[in-house]
């Protein structure tokens, strides 16, 4: 079976983990935790970083740190991994789901603007949804599959309506827009090192921000809100969300390979775009001209997606459909959904992710293309 997207452990992981084990520093204290945080912040161009146990906890604490409270609303795209919406729910808030744009699959900023301008109203410094009179507390943008939306327009809307921008950059480590890394554009950015992400610590996450106070708050919340290193004093309900030294050691080694991985992901995407462009009714995600995607998970569109997925999996080529839109999951089907054409559902019906591990060989890539061509020629 040619896997979809698996971790690639080919750098100094062994060496660094052995160091942890040899010295006995395996838990949350240990030099790899801060080294990984420092190197990560440097790589994406951010002032500070906090490593956490997964991307979901990064989203949870980021939303909390920018002031999202129970009963409030957070705007998210309707197409994302469920963790984005769940992080909102953990705070007792509710997501407002905005449909995505047909060509690049990111949040449709026209729909976002209409919602903010016509369905919400200002009261002093704050923004409220007219219908429910609930406060809109933040915008949580997702850089889907490593692509990005028109960030200038998005930032303009956040500024105009006084909303903090939180970035779910779980899929977009190393993607840039006009040279700036995904995750460093809003007030705070979140990353994931889950098994299928571009770098992996098995499970892990990171928050980055230029705001030192915000970083301090998130570190505090993630460390059970402990205020005194000796006596057990905690000043609020905190969380046990920190990453451990062994995993930070893996993370540091993975980070050293990031540029190689991105180059490989881009060459895989180039190969597929070149070789599949005239095959059947296959279409691709559009990348905006000022964006350089990390090409994390290569996904095509076709009206024959169900049959294609079944065929490929039977033929030893792992493939997966695109996520269910949030609006179609039982927990979120009553959430406000801002949409004209329900593009999210079309993408869900048509999306097919195909193998793109950084360890994939040229032979395997040709095999995938050959099988897809065969499917459409039948
Ligand atoms: C992977 C992912 C997450 C969650 O990351 P975990 O580390 O699995 O908790 C969040 N959002 C998006 C868009 C993701 O792809």
């Amino acid at each position: 079976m040619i896997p979809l997207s698996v971790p690639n452990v080919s750098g100094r992981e062994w060496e660094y983990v052995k160091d942890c084990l040899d010295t006995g520093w395996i838990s949350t204290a240990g030099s790899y935790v801060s080294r990984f945080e420092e190197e990560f912040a440097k790589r994406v161009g951010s002032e500070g970083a906090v490593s956490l146990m997964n991307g979901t906890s990064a989203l949870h604490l980021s939303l909390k740190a920018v002031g999202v409270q129970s009963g409030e609303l957070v705007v998210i795209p309707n197409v994302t991994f469920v963790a984005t919406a769940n992080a909102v729910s953990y705070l007792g808030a509710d997501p407002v789901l905005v449909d995505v744009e047909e060509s690049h699959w990111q949040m449709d900023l026209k729909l976002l603007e209409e919602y903010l301008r016509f369905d919400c109203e200002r009261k002093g410094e704050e923004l409220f949804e007219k219908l429910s009179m609930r406060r809109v507390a933040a915008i949580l943008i997702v850089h889907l599959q490593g692509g990005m939306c028109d960030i200038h327009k998005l930032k303009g809307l956040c500024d105009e309506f006084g909303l903090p921008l939180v970035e779910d950059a779980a899929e977009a480590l190393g993607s840039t827009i006009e040279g700036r890394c995904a995750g460093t554009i809003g007030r705070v950015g979140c990353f994931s090192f889950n098994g299928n992400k571009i770098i992996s610590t098995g499970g892990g996450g990171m928050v980055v921000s230029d705001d030192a106070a915000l970083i301090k708050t998130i570190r505090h919340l993630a460390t059970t809100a402990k205020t005194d290193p000796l006596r057990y004093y905690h000043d609020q309900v905190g969380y046990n969300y920190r990453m451990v030294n062994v995993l930070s050691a893996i993370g540091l080694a993975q980070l050293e390979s990031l540029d190689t991985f991105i180059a490989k992901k881009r060459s895989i995407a180039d190969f597929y775009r070149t070789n599949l462009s005239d095959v059947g009714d296959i279409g691709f995600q559009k990348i905006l001209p000022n964006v350089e995607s990390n090409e994390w998970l290569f996904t095509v569109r076709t009206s024959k997606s169900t049959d294609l997925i079944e065929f490929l999996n039977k033929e030893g080529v792992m493939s997966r459909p695109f996520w269910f839109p949030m609006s179609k999951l039982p927990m979120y089907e009553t959430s406000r959904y801002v949409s004209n054409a329900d593009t999210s559902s079309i993408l869900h019906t048509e999306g097919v992710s195909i193998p793109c591990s950084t360890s994939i060989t040229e032979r395997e890539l040709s095999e995938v293309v050959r099988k897809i061509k065969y499917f459409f020629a039948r």
Side-chain angles (χ1 to χ4, degrees):
M1 183 68 105
I2 304 176
L4 194 64
S5 182
V6 288
N8 184 341
V9 182
S10 52
R12 302 174 75 180
E13 288 82 357
W14 260 114
E15 182 188 327
Y16 293 165
V17 169
K18 185 171 186 309
D19 186 29
C20 295
L21 299 180
D22 286 346
T23 57
W25 289 97
I26 58 173
S27 192
T28 50
S31 63
Y32 285 102
V33 174
S34 45
R35 275 176 72 189
F36 183 35
E37 288 173 347
E38 281 159 22
E39 291 303 318
F40 192 91
K42 215 188 301 169
R43 175 60 180 78
V44 298
S46 169
E47 291 292 322
V50 186
S51 54
L52 299 166
M53 65 184 194
N54 52 46
T56 308
S57 54
L59 292 167
H60 180 187
L61 294 191
S62 294
L63 290 175
K64 191 171 169 68
V66 300
V68 176
Q69 295 188 31
S70 180
E72 299 184 333
L73 299 171
V74 175
V75 180
I76 69 168
N78 192 37
V79 174
T80 183
F81 178 60
V82 71
T84 315
N86 286 346
V88 176
S89 300
Y90 295 165
L91 291 162
D94 283 300
V96 171
L97 309 169
V98 175
D99 202 5
V100 295
E101 209 267 344
E102 158 96 44
S103 69
H104 57 59
W105 312 354
Q106 313 292 329
M107 185 190 282
D108 187 331
L109 299 184
K110 274 218 293 287
L111 291 173
L112 172 66
E113 178 169 7
E114 280 172 26
Y115 172 74
L116 297 174
R117 209 172 286 296
F118 303 121
D119 294 349
C120 299
E121 63 185 353
R122 295 292 287 255
K123 285 208 171 160
E125 290 296 295
E126 319 229 279
L127 192 73
F128 290 83
E129 187 183 73
K130 283 184 196 164
L131 207 64
S132 63
M133 283 319 288
R134 296 164 77 181
R135 186 172 88 102
V136 181
I139 294 180
L140 174 52
I141 196 77
V142 178
H143 306 304
L144 198 79
Q145 316 278 88
M148 292 169 87
C149 68
D150 178 350
I151 288 295
H152 297 298
K153 177 156 177 127
L154 176 64
K155 282 202 82 165
L157 289 171
C158 288
D159 290 345
E160 181 182 346
F161 292 94
L163 296 170
L165 177 62
V166 178
E167 294 175 75
D168 181 344
E171 304 177 359
L173 173 57
S175 295
T176 58
I177 182 157
E178 292 160 18
R180 279 185 69 181
C181 277
T184 65
I185 286 135
R187 272 195 64 196
V188 48
C190 304
F191 295 88
S192 164
F193 313 122
N194 183 39
N196 63 3
K197 297 303 196 298
I198 194 159
I199 68 170
S200 178
T201 57
M206 189 78 80
V207 167
V208 302
S209 178
D210 288 339
D211 181 340
L214 200 86
I215 287 290
K216 197 172 159 200
T217 300
I218 291 173
R219 198 181 295 283
H220 182 60
L221 286 169
T223 324
T224 60
K226 182 169 63 183
T227 53
D228 186 307
L230 181 64
R231 290 164 299 147
Y232 292 97
Y233 190 77
H234 310 259
D235 64 359
Q236 58 181 301
V237 177
Y239 303 83
N240 181 11
Y241 277 0
R242 298 299 309 277
M243 181 179 273
V244 297
N245 204 41
V246 183
L247 296 186
S248 303
I250 297 177
L252 183 65
Q254 287 273 297
L255 189 64
E256 291 168 355
S257 301
L258 176 62
D259 290 334
T260 316
F261 291 168
I262 294 173
K264 179 72 191 234
K265 289 275 189 192
R266 285 179 181 157
S267 82
I268 294 167
D270 283 347
F271 182 85
Y272 281 144
R273 283 176 198 270
T274 306
N275 288 283
L276 294 175
S277 61
D278 298 324
V279 178
D281 64 347
I282 278 180
F284 306 116
Q285 178 188 26
K286 187 184 161 199
I287 304 297
L288 295 183
N290 57 352
V291 171
E292 295 228 50
S293 171
N294 68 357
E295 302 286 0
W296 165 62
L297 187 66
F298 200 80
T299 304
V300 299
R301 282 178 67 171
T302 164
S303 61
K304 305 201 169 56
S305 69
T306 314
D307 292 343
L308 178 62
I309 290 167
E310 197 191 311
F311 173 80
L312 289 177
N313 283 318
K314 223 164 43 206
E315 291 282 316
V317 174
M318 194 164 156
S319 72
R320 287 280 178 271
F322 217 34
W323 300 298
F324 261 95
M326 297 302 105
S327 59
K328 294 214 162 147
L329 299 179
M331 321 74 98
Y332 300 115
E333 66 191 2
T334 57
S335 297
R336 178 76 181 266
Y337 177 30
V338 184
S339 170
N340 286 330
D342 195 15
T343 307
S344 304
S345 291
I346 302 171
L347 282 181
H348 167 64
T349 312
E350 298 194 347
V352 181
S353 302
I354 55 177
C356 54
S357 304
T358 52
S359 52
I360 198 167
T361 64
E362 269 174 47
R363 243 183 84 190
E364 288 171 326
L365 281 172
S366 303
E367 180 81 358
V368 176
V369 165
R370 199 174 59 78
K371 294 251 154 86
I372 294 175
K373 281 184 172 166
Y374 177 80
F375 170 83
F376 280 101
R378 289 187 308 172

